Each structure stands twice: as structure tokens, then as C-alpha cells.
Amino acid sequence: MNTLPLPGVIGRVCPHPCESVCRRQQVEEPVSICALKRFVADRVDVEELPLPEVQKRDERVAIVGAGPAGLTAAYFLAKEGFGVTMFEALP
């Protein structure tokens, strides 16, 4: 099974509310962070990226919902060494 890196997932699920208020549209058009994350995630081999050293902790965290907020929480908790399990109702 193929797995997507976090930016690739966010690039597919983010409703991009920031684009409607992006100051860049005063010059030309808003920056599409969602599309940029998806583009990079589709073209970068995650296995080749250097990983930071993370000191593992004994605590585990359950996150309900794999939307942008849940994914962001999981990312930052994992960076701090927590074991993270995500639960999502949708496929």
C-alpha cells in the first residue's frame, strides 16, 4: 500500500480557507499552499529525506479525526517523540 507523507495528505484534504484572504491576491493571485504541498509531496521521495533525531517517549496519544487539525496535531506530537495513533471514520 502506498502511503503519503503528511504534506501530501494535507494537500489533498485542506479546504484552503487562507486563499480567500491571502494578501498576495492584491498583486496577482493567492498562493495556493494546498496545491504546493501536494505538488512537492508527489515529486519528492520521502525515503531520501534526512530525518531529525527524535527521542522516543513512553506516552501514546490517540487522535480522533484525520483532517487538517488532526494531522497537524499528530505531526507535532510525533516530532516530540509521542507514539500517535489516528482514528478516522472515512476511508
Side-chain angles (χ1 to χ4, degrees):
M1 175 173 79
N2 265 347
T3 58
L4 290 171
L6 183 62
V9 174
I10 292 176
R12 287 167 171 77
V13 301
C14 179
H16 48 83
C18 55
E19 289 183 28
S20 62
V21 294
C22 180
R23 292 177 52 97
R24 183 68 186 162
Q25 66 188 342
Q26 295 173 0
V27 177
E28 49 186 21
E29 61 187 47
V31 175
S32 180
I33 298 298
C34 177
L36 288 172
K37 288 181 179 184
R38 184 175 184 169
F39 175 83
V40 171
D42 288 348
R43 285 165 177 73
V44 172
D45 184 2
V46 176
E47 299 300 321
E48 293 182 11
L49 295 175
L51 295 176
E53 191 67 35
V54 176
Q55 186 173 356
K56 298 290 183 186
R57 300 171 61 134
D58 291 334
E59 299 95 345
R60 298 199 42 81
V61 177
I63 296 180
V64 178
L71 291 170
T72 302
Y75 172 76
F76 284 105
L77 286 165
K79 279 181 64 174
E80 293 296 319
F82 289 94
V84 178
T85 302
M86 299 188 75
F87 296 94
E88 173 58 52
L90 301 174

